């Protein structure tokens, strides 16, 4: 090969390096890949037995460079003599030897250290690990939804008929039931018994963990009684949406899981929890402001499976390593930009939005800007995916009040409040337009006569009222805006001027 040819080839490779850098979202890997290719050409050019690379071997993305018996396969531009695949190697992604793993902290280690540092959540490490395991299982269920027989309405095991509509007025699907069961068991079945009761989007009323784990709270048998006491001694209550945005599954789009954990107030769930029938739960633990939450998080099932968690001191992101099935801390100390350009609302509803939101949108569209930045719109239709996008890139997510839903659509307890805690902990904000989401107190039930005082139930009407009030409190909706401080502040200003109390 003449010097001129070698020079020309080097020039071409330099150009390919430039193009790879320009096109790549991971510039450093592109640099390394291209440098690897350059190395081969450079060393090969001085090798007397060099044969030029044949265009394709074993698929269009593979090039073959002759080195006698020791042929080297090059994946696109990727190669260095030390890492290239050898002849006969399958180009498998899983466990591929030349995919170097990063040295990242595991979620388990993170929890051990962080929960130990914070006395208010010390006993939650195993609970949160169990939740992360549930997320892995839900991830697999979601991935199997198209290939396995997981679709269709849920069947009530008692009647053998299709389950009734859930509390949201939707027909419960098999997937909802499966994912709900996994989350119930994660919170209530963790070996440390930290959680004593749970409330889920899929359940009309909260449930004690004794009930979730299948113990009859009304029996006073010694064994049953003891177990009930153990389950109900936990210091925390948990709220969750097991599968958020589940309609997206049909079209292979992202879905998520959201959860929050509160410390139960002193006195609630004491011996009184071993009560009878419908009031075998205690609402006080659930109907608290979001400011009382000690931990919140979400799992996103998307191109990667991500768990984002706050324990009240910053936000940390973990990505599921698909080979080892463990969560690794890929996003330590996540911070949302102070201002961003993402606008994530369901635009189709905009005609029905409240006046302040319409004015905000009008201004945004007329100027093409939001918070002084050029605006761009993204909407996946699953809260977790949309909020994660805003958290990473900055901007605002919103589900405002509409004509049909005067409080919006999102549920305070297990959607808006956990997301607001995450946003605030990452340096962003969560607002109803008129105030902080975390300050909203869920509606409290009318107090009923104390059974222990008069020794009698108030009757079935009273039970029904109580249950209705409980459901209202647990599943209450709230207009929700989440994102960068500057963007949320701007939206709040529109509420100030054009809102109910504004001029
Ligand atoms: O849980 C409610 C939810 O499914 C969210 O995940 C999602 O952000 C929203 O509804 C989508 O609602 P819409 O289809 O009205 O935009
Ligand atoms: Mn949801």
């Amino acid at each position: 090969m003449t010097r001129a040819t070698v020079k020309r080839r080097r020039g071409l490779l330099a150009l390919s390096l430039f193009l790879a850098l320009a096109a790549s979202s991971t510039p450093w890997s592109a640099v390394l890949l291209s440098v690897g290719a350059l190395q081969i050409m450079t060393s090969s050019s001085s090798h007397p037995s060099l044969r030029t690379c044949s265009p394709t071997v074993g698929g269009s993305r593979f090039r073959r460079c002759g080195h006698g018996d020791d042929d080297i396969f090059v994946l696109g531009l990727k190669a260095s003599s030390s890492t290239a695949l050898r002849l006969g190697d399958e180009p498998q992604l899983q466990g591929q030897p030349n995919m170097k793993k990063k040295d990242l902290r595991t979620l388990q280690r993170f929890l051990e250290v962080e929960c130990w540092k914070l006395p208010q959540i010390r006993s939650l490490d195993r609970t949160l690990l169990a939740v992360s395991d549930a997320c892995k299982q839900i991830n697999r269920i979601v991935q199997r939804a198209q290939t396995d027989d997981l679709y269709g309405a849920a069947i009530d095991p008692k009647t053998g008929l299709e389950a009734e509509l859930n509390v949201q007025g939707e027909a419960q699907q098999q997937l909802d039931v499966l994912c709900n069961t996994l989350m119930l068991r994660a919170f209530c079945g963790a070996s440390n018994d930290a959680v004593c009761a749970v409330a889920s989007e899929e359940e009309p009323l909260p449930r004690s963990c004794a009930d979730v784990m299948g113990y009859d709270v009304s029996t006073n048998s010694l064994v049953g009684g003891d177990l009930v006491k153990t389950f109900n001694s936990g210091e925390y209550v948990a709220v969750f949406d097991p599968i958020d945005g589940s309609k997206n599954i049909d079209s292979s789009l992202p879905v998520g899981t959201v959860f929050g954990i509160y410390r139960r107030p002193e006195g609630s769930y004491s011996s009184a929890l071993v009560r009878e029938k419908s009031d075998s739960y205690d609402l006080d633990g659930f109907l608290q402001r979001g400011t009382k939450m000690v931990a919140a998080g979400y799992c996103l099932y998307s191109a990667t499976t991500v768990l984002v968690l706050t324990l009240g001191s910053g936000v940390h992101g973990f990505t599921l390593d698909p080979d080892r099935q463990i969560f690794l801390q890929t996003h330590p100390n996540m911070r949302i930009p102070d201002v961003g350009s993402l606008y994530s609302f369901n635009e189709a509803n905009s005609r029905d939005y409240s006046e302040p939101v319409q004015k905000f949108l009008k201004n945004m569209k007329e100027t093409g800007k939001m918070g002084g930045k050029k605006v761009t719109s993204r909407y996946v239709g699953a809260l977790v995916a949309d909020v994660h996008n805003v958290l990473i890139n900055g901007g605002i997510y919103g589900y405002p009040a509409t004509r049909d839903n005067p409080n919006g659509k999102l549920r305070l307890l297990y959607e808006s409040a956990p997301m607001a805690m995450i946003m605030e902990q990452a340096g962003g904000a969560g607002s109803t337009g008129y105030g902080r989401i975390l300050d909203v107190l869920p509606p409290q039930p009318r107090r009923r006569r104390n059974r222990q005082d008069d020794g009698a139930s108030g009757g079935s009407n009273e039970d029904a009222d109580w249950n209705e009030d409980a459901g209202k409190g647990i599943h209450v909706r709230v207009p929700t805006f989440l994102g960068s401080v500057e963007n949320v502040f701007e939206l709040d200003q529109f509420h100030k001027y054009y809102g109910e109390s504004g001029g």
Side-chain angles (χ1 to χ4, degrees), residues 118 213 243 267 436:
L118 300 163
M213 298 310 286
I243 185 116
R436 201 176 163 209

Side-chain angles (χ1 to χ4, degrees), residues 121-128 186-197 209 230-238 261-264:
I121 53 160
R122 193 160 289 165
S123 60
L124 279 179
D125 59 341
R126 271 179 283 168
T127 308
L128 290 166
F187 279 115
C188 288
S191 50
N192 52 345
D193 300 320
V195 172
C196 62
C209 278
T230 308
F231 278 119
N232 293 341
S233 64
E235 292 171 74
Y236 304 93
V237 301
I261 302 176
Y262 292 79
R263 180 179 279 278
R264 71 174 161 84

Side-chain angles (χ1 to χ4, degrees), residues 201 241 244-246 346 349 379 381-384 386 397 399 409-411 415:
E201 178 186 335
D241 178 356
D244 166 70
S246 54
N346 186 342
N349 295 335
Y379 193 74
L383 171 74
V384 175
D386 286 313
Y397 169 86
Y399 209 109
K409 183 180 182 190
L410 300 180
R411 271 59 57 107
E415 293 183 319

